[in-house]
Each structure stands twice: as structure tokens, then as C-alpha cells.
Amino acid sequence: DVKVTQSSRYLVKRTGEKVFLECVQDMDHENMFWYRQDPGLGLRLIYFSYDVKMKEKGDIPEGYSVSREKKERFSLILESASTNQTSMYLCASSWTSHWGNEQFFGPGTRLTVL
Amino acid sequence: GQNIDQPTEMTATEGAIVQINCTYQTSGFNGLFWYQQHAGEAPTFLSYNVLDGLEEKGRFSSFLSRSKGYSYLLLKELQMKDSASYLCAVRDSNYQLIWGAGTKLIIKP
């Protein structure tokens, strides 16, 4: 089974703190994604990566950065957390050459910024 | 702009059939996905349509009409465990997924 894991299920941080969210996949997927999910809105793409050390901005990259030093690991960084970054963060991964290229999701990290 | 529309919430009875609709307006089309998401859990892949027509997979079927920008997910013989949110997503011309807000399906005994 494909497994995508995230470092924390729940996280509480204070405004201004630097926050690291880690994601690891074990299926040798080329592509990795970070989304945030808020009530009443669809999943919104923050950043994605098609290869090691490669990153592309998604729809809402402001206030976030990412790092992909190894193929299996994709980190999301909140440089200075703010209350409007309170959300559910979902990591996903997928193959490039695969019918459908469906994305496999991690369990999510519910981040609260006080 | 790009837009995916699906109903916010639907209610159905155990054992019955329910159809969840999804309409889309996107810049290009490279496939439509349906995902299931139980409360507090990750979305899981249900189906993928890239050609017009019906794809059947057990109790779940998904239909696509590209000319109408329309899809539906059909769930038969509903079970209590089918209570979840159902997310529709379209892959656009840049191969990025555009997501609907999801349809919360409530199953009553």
C-alpha cells in the first residue's frame, strides 16, 4: 500500500513562530504537493514539486516556503505563522507516468495559530 | 476563472441510491477525479474519468460529459459507512487539479 505520512496530526503554535510540517512518502513518487483545506472551500494548492530540489508555486504560496532535499520528503515551512494560517494541511504524492496519476494523501496536520 | 460546483450537502437513506453532481468550468480538461473523505481523515481516490461515459466500480459509478462540463458520482445500496464528503476535482490544461468544495453526504437509517 502507498503510504504518505505527516509529522504531526495536531499542532498549536503562536503568532510569529517558524513552523515546519514534514511529509514522507514510501512509493518513490516523483510528484509531491502541499494543500490547505478550509471549511466551505476546495483544497487549495500551496506548493508542489516534480523532482528533488525542484519546487513550483501553487495558488496560495504567500507566507509559505518548501524544501525537497530527498525524493521521499517534502517539507512545508511557515516562516512567521499568522492566525490566518490556521487550517488543515494535507500532503499528497503521485507518479508522473501513471494512468490517472491520482494523488495519495497523508492524514493531514491540523494547525492552530494563536 | 476556473470553477467547480457541487452541492454542499445531501441526505439519503441506507440502502437507497444517491447521485452527486459536479459541474466545472476550467481552462482545458485532462481528466476528472472523485475522492471520498471521511471526517478528520485524508481524501481517498474513488474514480477517474477522462472519456465520456460511465465508469462502474462496484457500488460506485462515475459519469462524465465533457461537452456539458458535467460529472456525477452514483452510489448504490448505500451503507452507513458511506457517510463522508465527496470531492470532485478536474485536471486543467496545466495538469493541475482544481478542487470543488466537496459534498457532505449524510446517510440516515
Side-chain angles (χ1 to χ4, degrees):
Chain A
D1 275 354
V2 173
K3 194 157 187 182
V4 181
T5 56
Q6 295 183 228
S7 48
S8 305
R9 289 300 303 272
Y10 300 93
L11 210 52
V12 179
K13 296 291 181 181
R14 297 209 173 271
T15 302
E17 281 192 81
K18 192 168 185 176
V19 182
F20 293 87
L21 302 182
E22 301 283 332
C23 175
V24 178
Q25 50 94 4
D26 67 358
M27 282 303 291
D28 204 34
H29 286 167
E30 296 91 352
N31 309 320
M32 296 189 76
F33 308 83
W34 275 107
Y35 293 94
R36 63 178 283 176
Q37 186 176 34
D38 299 289
L41 300 177
L43 294 175
R44 291 184 291 167
L45 182 64
I46 304 171
Y47 268 95
F48 60 98
S49 169
Y50 288 145
D51 201 351
V52 176
K53 296 191 186 295
M54 180 274 181
K55 59 186 178 185
E56 292 284 343
K57 292 180 180 179
D59 299 320
I60 51 164
E62 297 79 19
Y64 304 94
S65 62
V66 290
S67 172
R68 194 169 181 197
E69 296 296 318
K70 294 185 177 182
K71 191 175 185 181
E72 68 270 18
R73 187 179 298 268
F74 193 35
S75 302
L76 179 70
I77 303 149
L78 286 67
E79 296 290 342
S80 177
S82 62
T83 54
N84 62 13
Q85 291 178 311
T86 292
S87 186
M88 170 69 87
Y89 289 87
L90 290 166
C91 175
S93 67
S94 71
W95 285 290
T96 295
S97 300
H98 186 268
W99 176 251
N101 303 114
E102 71 265 28
Q103 295 182 10
F104 296 85
F105 285 84
T109 296
R110 185 165 294 282
L111 172 67
T112 302
V113 182
L114 302 175
Chain B
Q2 308 203 89
N3 197 47
I4 310 282
D5 283 318
Q6 43 180 138
T8 303
E9 187 173 296
M10 299 181 71
T11 302
T13 304
E14 191 177 14
I17 299 172
V18 71
Q19 177 175 310
I20 302 174
N21 296 326
C22 171
T23 57
Y24 63 88
Q25 292 175 302
T26 56
S27 55
F29 179 84
N30 282 295
L32 185 144
F33 295 82
W34 284 97
Y35 280 78
Q36 180 190 59
Q37 185 177 26
H38 285 102
E41 297 183 10
T44 54
F45 170 75
L46 285 177
S47 69
Y48 171 68
N49 295 71
V50 67
L51 300 175
D52 290 349
L54 189 68
E55 294 276 347
E56 296 187 77
K57 196 185 288 187
R59 292 189 300 115
F60 292 9
S61 304
S62 56
F63 171 82
L64 174 67
S65 169
R66 288 172 296 169
S67 62
K68 295 182 179 178
Y70 169 70
S71 172
Y72 66 73
L73 181 69
L74 192 71
L75 291 74
K76 301 177 186 176
E77 301 170 16
L78 285 170
Q79 302 174 8
M80 296 304 292
K81 68 178 182 180
D82 298 329
S83 292
S85 289
Y86 292 86
L87 313 181
C88 173
V90 172
R91 190 158 58 201
D92 68 11
S93 56
N94 293 321
Y95 281 81
Q96 295 307 313
L97 283 181
I98 312 300
W99 294 82
T103 298
K104 183 177 181 181
L105 178 63
I106 300 167
I107 309 296
K108 294 186 173 179

